[in-house]
Structure formats: C-alpha cells, structure tokens
Amino acid sequence: EEASLSLWPRPVRLMPLLLLVILMAAVWAENRDYYDLLGVSREATTREIRRAFKQLALTMHPDKNPGDPSAHDKFLQVNRAYEVLKDEDLRKKYDKYGEKGLDEQQGGRYESWNYYRYDFGIYDDDLEIITLDSGDFEAAVNSGEIWFINFYFPRCSHCHQCCSSLEFSKEMDGVIRIGAVNCGDNNHLCRRKGINSYPSLFIYRAGQRPEKFNGERTKDNLVRFSMQFITTTVTQLWQANVFSEIEKAFASGVSWLITFCSDTGGNISTFDLSESDGLVKVGWMDCTTEEQLCASFQVTTGATALYPPESALDKQDSILWLNTLDSKEIYNQVINHLPDLELLTSDSFQTKLTRHRWLISFTFGDRSATSNEHKKLQAFLRNDHIQVGRVDCTADSKLCQSLYIHKPCVAVFKGLGIHDFEIHHGKDVLYNIVGFARDSVRAHVTTLRPDNFPSNKKEPWLVDFFAPWCPPCRALLPELRKASIQLAGQMKFGTLDCTIHHSLCSMYNIQAYPTTVIFNGSSLHEYEGQHTADGILEFIQVLLHPQTLFNVNVIKLINSVLLMSRDYSSLPRASVDLTPESFRSLVLLGQDHWVLDFYAPWCGPCQHFAPEFEVLARILKGEVRAGKVDCQAHYQTCQSAGITAYPSVRFYPYRGTRRYEQSGEHINSRDANVITDTVRQRLKQLSPQLHNKLKVMCPRQMSL
C-alpha cells in the first residue's frame, strides 16, 4: 500500500515536463523556415519537395513514434510546410509575407503512415516516368513528341498494379515519353480531360485525338498498343530514286539512315528511330536486285550506315557504321553523330537574328547530354519557322556579357534584332523548351536589362521582378505571355531577373518574388491579384481606362440605393458563408438550387464583385440560394471544385437526387443581371426534368 501511494503522484509531477516538451517542440517548429523543415532549397521543384516530405513522413509520423508526446505537433508543422510549399499561390505568399500571409488551419490534417508509405508519390523515384501537372501538361503533349500518359489516383489499388506494368517504359525509352498525372493533386485537369476511372491510359500526339488503352495491362500489350502510333516511314531506295531522295534530304539538313540487306524491309523497324523522325530519313536498299548500287556505296549486304548532310558519299570518315540491332544503342549513336546546332559568333550573330526568329542555346564550353537533346529542336520547330542555333560563351564572352547571360540557358530571339529576346526559365527538358519557343515568338514579353529598362518610357509597361529559382515566378511567366498577346499595342511586357540585376531591383524596393509593377508614365502600380492572365488583364484595363471602373461603381451604387434605401451594412446579407461541412451538407447533399461565389480575400476583382454578387443574391432570393466560399481559408474545398481563378461563379442545380459532382456549372460573367438571366434560363430547362424525376420517384403521391 505504501508503494502504491508513493507512486501515485509521479504522473502529476511529470505533467509540467510533458507540457515543456510540447512547448519546446512548438517553438522549435515555429522558429524554423519551411524550406529548412523539409530540408530543401528555396529553388526546389514540386517533385523534390514531395520526395523530401515523404522521407520525413516515413520517419516522423506519429504512427511510427507512439511513445513521443510531441510527435503529433512536430509532424503537423512538417505537414503544414509541405501543404504550403507544394501549392504555387501559397508558396508565393509564404515567400513574400512568411506565415503571416497564410491560413492558420493550413496543413491541420494528415493521413496515416500507410498512406505515405504505399500511396504517396508513386512515381517520384522512377526516372523513366515524368510526373506532369496542370502547369506543364499541355506543353508536354503538344510538343511534337508521342506521350503515353497514366492518369492515376493514389488510393487506387489497380494503379499500383499498373505501376509494375509501366516497367515497359524502360523498353520504350528513346521511342515515346512516359508520363503520369496524379488526379488527386490535379483534379481539375483530370476532369477536364474526361478521366472518370483509374488508372486511365492514353496515347497523346500533337494535334490529334488522344487514344485510350482498354486491354489487359501487361507489358507486351502496352508495347503493342503504343507501337501502332509510331509513324516513322521507311523508304525503299533503288537506282531511279536514291540520289534525288538523298540530295533532297541533305538540302534540308536531314541525314539518311540506310540499311543494306537482301530481304524486304531491312532490319531497321519503325520502332528504332521514331523519336528521331524529322532528324533522319530512314531507308533500305535490296542488294539482291541492286547489287551495283550497293557496290557504289562500298557495301555488299547486311550493313547499316548513317549519312550526315555535310558528308559526300565517298567520304567514309564522315559516315557512321552501326554494328548493333538494339534500338536504344542505334538511337544514341545516331543522335551523337548528327551534326551540332549551327554555331553563331559575334561576327554573324546580329546579321542572323535581324531577319529570322531563332531559338539560341547559350553554352559555356562543355557539351553535355542536354546538347544532344537540343539537336532534336530543329525537327520540332521546323514547321514553326524557328531556326535553332548555339553560342559558345567561352569563345564569345563579350557577346554573352552584353546580353547579361552568365550561365547556360536557352533564349528566343523574335526577329527584331539582338535586343528583343526572352530567356527560358522553365524545365530544361525538350517538351518544355519547345512549348516555350512556340509561345514566346507569338507573345510580346522581353527580357529586361539596365539598358532597356522602362524607367523613363512614356508608354505603359508591365514589369515582372522575379527570381528564376522561385516556382510561383516560373508559373507566372506563361500567364504574362497570354496577357501580352491580348494587350498587344496597348502595353509592353518585360521581366527583370533580380538575381542578376540586384541594384535595379533594390532601387524599386523589391522584397519578394514575383513582384509585378505597372509603369504608367510617372506613376507606379503594384499588382497583387491572382497570378492569371485574366486577373492581370482586368487590373490593367482598369488602370488604362479608369472610366470603366467609375461606370461599374456607379451601377453598383444605384443598385445598392434601390435595394436598401439606407446604409448597406444595416441590412442582413442575402448570401451565406459556407464551410467545407456546410458546402457538403447544404450544396452537395441538400435539396435547393445554389449559386456560389468562390473568392479569395486578397483578390482585388473579388472585392469589386462582392457587392454585385449580393445584388444577384437578393434578386434570386426565394428561387436560388446564394453562398460564398473563402478559398484562402478552405483551399481543399475549392481545389476539389476545380477552382483555378478568383472570383469564380458556379451554379449547383438540384435535379431530384444527391449531387456528387463538386464542380457545378461555370457561369462566365460577373454581372448580376447576366448571371440572374443565366440561372433562370437553366431553371426553366430543369423544371420538366425535375417534374419527371419526381413522378418516377413518387408515383403514388403524384397520382393522388
């Protein structure tokens, strides 16, 4: 009894110690930078962030540390860091404002340890499979390469089984690209592509309809399915056509790969060089019937050779003889032997770039594997009339220094001289460079330097102050290109790299990236809205045409007076604020029609639209309920609904059954009258459908 009494107070004495441990853990986490918490650099990619978080989740998860009272709080902080840094908008806010710019509840929930072990980041460690997201999907599938895409969901068991079948990617390496899209993280993209089951496997070819794979997911079946879309043509050569065909290809800078054989078709299949299509022409010659012709090439039978454009047929030292039938070896040998990009020097640079559009690869002496990949750019950009060349900055250092190019990069020169160019800051992969080149030549975005910075220009300029390592900065660049096309002739667009031009950025007190500033004569205006082309366009139109804003405000004022006839704040709101729980219970599972405004508090256009939405809520009162969802506070709800821009108006009709579709019907307007008319028109269309639905559900009640 004495022993039990002496032991009784111990838990009580331990309580302050436990509280101290928890408090120290919280202080430890709060004082640490999110990048430090995950162990990644500030320029880390989303994939690198996801991989780092997974490693921490497997060791720090409370399920693996049941005896540690601080494990939950520590893991919450790591989870919060991941949830913020994986999202481009949240990451931008964190980089600019720190934790003060974030919702306190972000990252408050996490999954079980088994989820992170078996379902999270399925393909992150597979180098043959490229993880695509909403930001680079279109650039990839429209690059000109053939893509095999696996749309999957992390919790789908069939997707894990499919993962092993995708080992066929090793066999298809050098033939097609293998990509994977996580529909858990990219819900809106997958719904836009019509994905309704997992895994869904598709072949994508630029300009053509995607083809779905429906068979048993074995390696052989996947290879056979993929191979039917390989379109390399193998040409039979004989005395009547051989020299004209070869000369025609050489004139276009295209090599010939010829197999000399004694049976039909040779030993070079379409499988071998599909990815080189456009760089080489593939042909075969029957040495049984064309014995003298084969002898003129100094071969008899059973040989394969690559003839580069600059070689004469009698110069054996420039011809590559292939002694392998392995497709990957053939592909690598051919790419290595193909002529390099045209070398431009300081003497020819200005003359070449004055009249034509060029994609230039700036290198610094060493030639890497990337250089061989760049050889394929000529084929992919030929139909876009974009020439491809290179500059060796080691040999022409003054030229590169004059352009402020200090490290290897790729840039598009738009045919207007050497000063109108844009540097590529995306992924250093072929599909991303091709997409950038095609977009850049159509857009009006210029890389700025001290000598062309628009500090004293009369015409309006949008200047994006950025850092290349900043993911939100890189995500903004394609949106700027879209906006520049819409505003051609009204506003000029430029980007300034603050990692190079420190003093110029400091002069304008740039403290976070990206910072977007409008230079309009002597006045400066910082843009802090959504980083989309639409948001930028609306902000600029208001700046350039302030009368538009005045008219809108007058209309809103009149509407407010008519509706209220006294102070606005004294009347109750007609719309309601929705949480994730009420969104599900009232909108998705309820029996009312709803029109919703998805917004963010920091979004300028959202603030302008708020009174307009309240007007339509009052007009539709009794017909349709109106609600608002704060996407900063309830990001996951908005992401599940496919919201990519603010404000977004969605109509959720009740059709007599539960609504499992979370995205609703998009209404592309911010005018109360237009939205009201659209909703009422939909209600008329739905009325007979709902009536018939009720008759089916309740025949006895309807007959009574």
Side-chain angles (χ1 to χ4, degrees):
E1 187 175 355
E2 287 183 1
S4 62
L5 287 173
S6 64
L7 287 173
W8 175 253
R10 288 190 180 180
V12 178
R13 289 197 297 268
L14 285 173
M15 285 302 293
L17 180 59
L18 291 175
L19 290 173
L20 180 61
V21 169
I22 293 172
L23 180 62
M24 289 178 64
V27 172
W28 166 83
E30 287 180 3
N31 290 335
R32 291 197 63 182
D33 179 80
Y34 281 0
Y35 295 94
D36 291 339
L37 278 172
L38 296 181
V40 297
S41 65
R42 299 190 76 84
E43 55 267 24
T45 64
T46 303
R47 184 172 186 164
E48 291 169 341
I49 290 171
R50 190 166 54 242
R51 291 180 68 181
F53 173 66
K54 181 173 183 176
Q55 293 301 315
L56 291 172
L58 296 180
T59 57
M60 293 182 63
H61 198 285
D63 291 354
K64 299 295 288 183
N65 300 275
D68 184 357
S70 65
H72 170 75
D73 292 315
K74 286 182 178 179
F75 190 66
L76 271 183
Q77 289 297 322
V78 172
N79 186 61
R80 177 175 170 82
Y82 169 69
E83 291 292 332
V84 169
L85 297 186
K86 76 169 185 178
D87 181 272
E88 291 178 351
D89 288 335
L90 294 177
R91 186 172 180 177
K92 189 254 181 179
K93 291 179 192 175
Y94 176 75
D95 288 342
K96 189 169 186 177
Y97 303 113
E99 290 195 76
K100 295 179 181 178
L102 304 173
D103 170 27
E104 293 182 0
Q105 297 180 350
Q106 191 71 41
R109 298 179 180 177
Y110 54 83
E111 303 287 347
S112 68
W113 182 87
N114 283 335
Y115 170 81
Y116 297 114
R117 173 63 181 86
Y118 299 107
D119 297 329
F120 185 82
I122 297 176
Y123 300 113
D124 284 346
D125 295 322
D126 194 329
L127 298 180
E128 282 83 18
I129 299 176
I130 300 172
T131 299
L132 299 174
D133 56 30
S134 301
D136 58 7
F137 181 86
E138 296 299 336
V141 299
N142 291 308
S143 65
E145 298 180 282
I146 299 175
W147 281 82
F148 182 96
I149 306 290
N150 172 24
F151 295 90
Y152 72 96
F153 196 80
R155 294 188 181 277
C156 155
S157 59
H158 297 295
C159 299
H160 292 269
Q161 296 167 8
C162 180
C163 182
S164 61
S165 298
L166 283 179
E167 291 176 357
F168 92 106
S169 61
K170 294 180 175 63
E171 184 168 337
M172 300 297 287
D173 189 29
V175 180
I176 62 175
R177 296 285 188 185
I178 311 295
V181 175
N182 182 343
C183 290
D185 291 340
N186 298 276
N187 179 268
H188 183 62
L189 170 63
C190 294
R191 284 190 293 101
R192 188 155 40 89
K193 298 302 176 184
I195 306 302
N196 49 32
S197 62
Y198 309 110
S200 287
L201 310 177
F202 283 85
I203 284 284
Y204 279 84
R205 296 166 294 167
Q208 300 188 48
R209 182 174 60 86
E211 300 285 348
K212 186 175 183 180
F213 175 78
N214 292 307
E216 184 181 354
R217 293 183 291 270
T218 65
K219 186 182 76 171
D220 291 341
N221 285 346
L222 292 172
V223 169
R224 276 193 294 270
F225 170 74
S226 303
M227 285 308 305
Q228 64 182 309
F229 304 104
I230 308 301
T231 57
T232 300
T233 301
V234 181
T235 305
Q236 183 177 3
L237 300 173
W238 62 89
Q239 186 69 47
N241 73 345
V242 61
F243 294 108
S244 62
E245 289 282 352
I246 290 176
E247 288 175 3
K248 184 166 57 176
F250 282 5
S252 300
V254 178
S255 303
W256 266 97
L257 183 70
I258 303 175
T259 293
F260 302 89
C261 55
S262 56
D263 54 7
T264 305
N267 62 354
I268 296 293
S269 68
T270 58
F271 176 80
D272 296 328
L273 287 166
S274 63
E275 203 173 79
S276 299
D277 198 20
L279 287 176
V280 299
K281 298 278 287 183
V282 182
W284 69 281
M285 194 178 297
D286 186 349
C287 291
T288 303
T289 59
E290 301 287 346
E291 187 175 351
Q292 289 186 342
L293 183 58
C294 290
S296 69
F297 281 84
Q298 299 184 14
V299 295
T300 54
T301 187
T304 300
L306 177 72
Y307 296 88
E310 72 272 12
S311 70
L313 295 182
D314 58 347
K315 290 184 179 178
Q316 294 295 313
D317 56 345
S318 63
I319 299 171
L320 173 66
W321 296 92
L322 302 171
N323 299 312
T324 178
L325 296 179
D326 180 80
S327 61
K328 194 168 184 178
E329 286 186 31
I330 292 175
Y331 169 74
N332 288 331
Q333 288 186 38
V334 167
I335 290 294
N336 286 332
H337 198 71
L338 286 176
D340 209 337
L341 302 179
E342 180 180 351
L343 178 64
L344 304 183
T345 64
S346 54
D347 296 329
S348 62
F349 191 75
Q350 186 162 355
T351 305
K352 291 273 188 181
L353 270 58
T354 301
R355 300 173 183 171
H356 298 286
R357 303 184 300 185
W358 283 79
L359 178 71
I360 302 294
S361 172
F362 291 89
T363 61
F364 285 76
D366 295 336
R367 308 291 286 147
S368 63
T370 305
S371 303
N372 278 337
E373 285 289 294
H374 287 177
K375 293 178 182 179
K376 294 188 257 180
L377 290 169
Q378 299 176 94
F380 288 126
L381 296 174
R382 188 173 291 130
N383 292 335
D384 299 285
H385 306 290
I386 301 173
Q387 301 188 48
V388 185
R390 65 186 176 94
V391 170
D392 184 353
C393 291
T394 303
D396 274 307
S397 58
K398 288 186 178 179
L399 171 61
C400 297
Q401 288 171 7
S402 70
L403 300 174
Y404 291 87
I405 292 175
H406 306 294
K407 60 183 180 180
C409 67
V410 171
V412 164
F413 289 77
K414 309 189 180 188
L416 300 174
I418 65 172
H419 296 295
D420 187 11
F421 67 92
E422 183 183 4
I423 294 177
H424 174 244
H425 294 289
K427 296 179 181 178
D428 190 20
V429 291
L430 198 67
Y431 70 82
N432 202 280
I433 295 173
V434 170
F436 160 74
R438 289 171 176 163
D439 290 343
S440 182
V441 294
R442 295 187 302 109
H444 309 282
V445 178
T446 300
T447 293
L448 296 174
R449 308 169 302 285
D451 53 338
N452 68 346
F453 190 83
S455 54
N456 298 316
K457 300 288 175 60
K458 293 183 179 179
E459 65 269 26
W461 274 79
L462 179 148
V463 177
D464 174 38
F465 296 87
F466 78 105
W469 51 259
C470 157
C473 300
R474 296 196 296 266
L476 175 60
L477 294 175
E479 296 299 315
L480 292 178
R481 293 185 201 111
K482 294 176 189 175
S484 75
I485 295 172
Q486 296 292 322
L487 290 170
Q490 300 181 59
M491 175 165 289
K492 295 188 176 182
F493 285 68
T495 61
L496 187 74
D497 184 348
C498 290
T499 65
I500 296 175
H501 306 291
H502 313 278
S503 57
L504 198 50
C505 294
S506 298
M507 184 186 303
Y508 291 94
N509 195 30
I510 304 302
Q511 298 178 343
Y513 310 121
T515 295
T516 305
V517 178
I518 312 296
F519 288 73
N520 190 14
S522 59
S523 60
L524 304 181
H525 308 271
E526 182 177 353
Y527 173 70
E528 294 188 311
Q530 182 76 2
H531 282 168
T532 63
D534 287 342
I536 294 168
L537 286 170
E538 183 169 338
F539 180 76
I540 291 174
Q541 290 294 354
V542 170
L543 281 180
L544 296 181
H545 309 288
Q547 185 64 29
T548 302
L549 179 61
F550 173 77
N551 292 337
V552 170
N553 287 334
V554 167
I555 292 171
K556 288 178 180 176
L557 179 60
I558 292 172
N559 283 333
S560 298
V561 170
L562 289 175
L563 283 169
M564 304 165 199
S565 70
R566 58 195 180 106
D567 181 23
Y568 186 84
S569 61
S570 64
L571 286 179
R573 281 176 48 194
S575 63
V576 298
D577 292 322
L578 296 172
T579 64
E581 293 74 20
S582 58
F583 173 76
R584 176 175 175 78
S585 62
L586 297 178
V587 179
L588 298 183
L589 302 179
Q591 298 184 7
D592 294 306
H593 303 298
W594 282 86
V595 61
L596 301 187
D597 170 23
F598 293 89
Y599 72 99
W602 47 262
C603 160
C606 300
Q607 297 165 11
H608 295 314
F609 178 63
E612 195 78 9
F613 185 76
E614 195 64 24
V615 168
L616 76 90
R618 292 185 177 279
I619 295 174
L620 290 172
K621 191 172 183 180
E623 302 174 71
V624 176
R625 297 189 67 180
K628 295 171 69 72
V629 180
D630 182 345
C631 290
Q632 178 173 307
H634 311 303
Y635 175 75
Q636 294 296 336
T637 300
C638 296
Q639 186 182 47
S640 299
I643 304 302
T644 58
Y646 312 122
S648 284
V649 180
R650 299 288 175 91
F651 177 50
Y652 289 80
Y654 176 66
R655 297 186 175 92
T657 58
R658 290 183 176 182
R659 287 166 289 209
Y660 293 101
E661 176 57 56
Q662 298 193 43
S663 60
E665 299 176 9
H666 178 61
I667 300 178
N668 187 24
S669 176
R670 296 177 190 170
D671 182 275
N673 294 324
V674 173
I675 298 171
T676 300
D677 291 342
T678 303
V679 169
R680 284 176 171 165
Q681 187 175 5
R682 284 292 291 123
L683 290 176
K684 287 182 181 179
Q685 296 170 351
L686 290 167
S687 181
Q689 299 175 20
L690 185 57
H691 180 73
N692 292 335
K693 190 77 176 179
L694 289 172
K695 286 180 67 177
V696 172
M697 293 173 62
C698 310
R700 290 191 62 181
Q701 291 89 327
M702 294 295 291
S703 63
L704 291 173

